[in-house]
Amino acid sequence: MPISPDGPMAYGMQLPVQSQSAIYAEPWEAAATPADLVRIARAADRCGFAYIAGCDHIAIPRRLADGMSTVWYDPVATLAFLAGVTERVLLMSHVAVVGLRHPLVTAKQYATLDHLSGGRLILGVGAGHVREEFEAVGADFDGRGGVLDESIDALRAALGPEEYPEFAGERFSFGGLGQLPRPAQERVPIWVGGSSPAATRRAAVRGDGWLPQGDARDRLPAQIARVHALREEAGVEVPIVLGAITEPLYVGEPGWSVGRRTLAGKPEALAESLREYAAIGVHQIQVRFRSRSVDELTDQMAAFGAGVAPHLGT
């Protein structure tokens, strides 16, 4: 289902297993299988989740491996695999580090994904932060902000309806080169990730959506106001979809230590807390559940869809 600034507040999730940073991965994910990912994606499809999302890293240097781990599934391969076992849930890159690839390469991958999935792609993009990753593929790390800006513009052309897209920029230029299949969507939504001043400006000026990176609730109103002001200043009249990543969640009484930051309790109480996001202008929330197994995770997803979502004002 489309996510709109004019519609009800939607909820989606970053997939577990496909990225296993020590910041958020649960212990059970280390031994998880592709079949577990299928179960989770199907649960999202069944329980009303608007999207499932996958991250993007090509290679992690040893200096960061303890914290980030080296488990990062390719987002296009992962989302295409899960497109084949789901029907309605949207498929989002959160986020694709598009500066690691030429825009025509990115367009070919994601246009094919959108075509195969029947128009379910949300292309989330970001600047990236791992220098060694850029250096390994010959990409420009220091200039990655400018590269991302131009890549978004180039992707607008390359993911449009034309079989022979054309673009001329400072870094990238193409024309007379045909790419089929075209995306199923007339306009693939491009959501911009990041909470730095440069990222919020990029989202406001160039994005169809904004994906903040873990801003606390009390910071969001000022950030949202800035995005709206920058968008108005740039003369962009199309509304932007604003997101937020919620605190970790557990529906019900856990009976085990879920961490002091986790929101846990009865569905109505969780919904009351999460409605605050809508009140400050958020259109979609990304949720993450505490769990000790894939069974507990899918049970939590079902409990959220049945017990919490109906009270979100959706």
Side-chain angles (χ1 to χ4, degrees), residues 17-25 55-73 97 128-133:
V17 182
Q18 55 81 38
S19 68
Q20 296 187 28
S21 167
I23 296 172
Y24 49 72
C55 304
D56 182 24
H57 280 291
I58 291 175
I60 306 301
R62 289 185 185 275
R63 69 179 179 89
L64 298 175
D66 286 346
M68 291 182 66
S69 92
T70 57
V71 179
W72 297 85
Y73 289 27
V97 184
H129 66 95
V130 180
R131 176 179 290 275
E132 292 94 329
E133 195 171 33

Side-chain angles (χ1 to χ4, degrees), residues 227-307:
V227 169
H228 283 309
L230 289 169
R231 199 165 178 86
E232 182 177 357
E233 181 183 306
V236 183
E237 297 181 356
V238 179
I240 186 170
V241 175
L242 299 171
I245 299 174
T246 73
E247 301 85 351
L249 302 177
Y250 194 92
V251 185
E253 300 302 328
W256 58 286
S257 178
V258 294
R260 61 182 182 84
R261 288 190 62 249
T262 299
L263 297 178
K266 295 181 178 179
E268 296 85 354
L270 292 181
E272 181 180 0
S273 177
L274 295 175
R275 282 197 298 269
E276 183 181 344
Y277 285 104
I280 62 179
V282 168
H283 306 119
Q284 66 87 11
I285 52 173
Q286 185 172 121
V287 297
R288 176 177 285 273
F289 303 99
R290 295 302 318 275
S291 60
R292 293 164 293 178
S293 67
V294 67
D295 290 334
E296 187 168 28
L297 174 59
T298 54
D299 286 347
Q300 281 289 299
M301 294 169 67
F304 187 91

Side-chain angles (χ1 to χ4, degrees), residues 20-258:
Q20 296 187 28
S21 167
I23 296 172
Y24 49 72
E26 300 284 11
W28 65 264
E29 295 178 46
T33 66
D36 293 325
L37 265 180
V38 169
R39 286 185 60 192
I40 295 161
R42 285 176 169 162
D45 211 33
R46 185 171 61 248
C47 298
F49 285 70
Y51 64 81
I52 51 177
C55 304
D56 182 24
H57 280 291
I58 291 175
I60 306 301
R62 289 185 185 275
R63 69 179 179 89
L64 298 175
D66 286 346
M68 291 182 66
S69 92
T70 57
V71 179
W72 297 85
Y73 289 27
D74 178 79
V76 179
T78 304
L79 294 173
F81 170 63
L82 296 175
V85 297
T86 55
E87 295 180 358
R88 50 154 296 280
V89 70
L90 301 178
L91 310 162
M92 180 165 72
S93 57
H94 188 184
V95 288
V97 184
V98 295
L100 294 172
R101 307 165 184 89
H102 190 284
L104 283 179
V105 175
T106 299
K108 169 57 71 175
Q109 294 174 314
Y110 283 99
T112 303
L113 173 58
D114 194 63
H115 175 79
L116 291 173
S117 67
R120 290 194 274 151
L121 171 66
I122 300 173
L123 180 56
V125 300
H129 66 95
V130 180
R131 176 179 290 275
E132 292 94 329
E133 195 171 33
F134 279 71
E135 292 174 346
V137 299
D140 182 1
F141 180 79
D142 291 327
R144 66 194 184 281
V147 171
L148 177 54
D149 287 342
E150 188 168 313
S151 292
I152 293 172
D153 296 341
L155 286 166
R156 287 282 184 214
L159 291 171
E162 299 299 325
E163 180 181 351
Y164 292 88
E166 294 189 1
F167 179 79
E170 181 181 336
R171 300 166 180 83
F172 307 112
S173 181
F174 50 83
L177 297 168
Q179 283 193 325
L180 291 178
R182 305 308 303 153
Q185 297 180 82
E186 184 175 333
R187 178 184 173 94
V188 171
I190 298 178
W191 292 5
V192 178
S195 295
S196 69
T200 52
R201 174 176 289 279
R202 183 175 297 118
V205 174
R206 287 182 160 84
D208 300 306
W210 175 49
L211 296 163
Q213 296 301 298
D215 293 77
R217 289 197 202 195
D218 59 359
R219 289 194 64 218
L220 278 171
Q223 289 278 65
I224 288 171
R226 183 172 185 270
V227 169
H228 283 309
L230 289 169
R231 199 165 178 86
E232 182 177 357
E233 181 183 306
V236 183
E237 297 181 356
V238 179
I240 186 170
V241 175
L242 299 171
I245 299 174
T246 73
E247 301 85 351
L249 302 177
Y250 194 92
V251 185
E253 300 302 328
W256 58 286
S257 178
V258 294

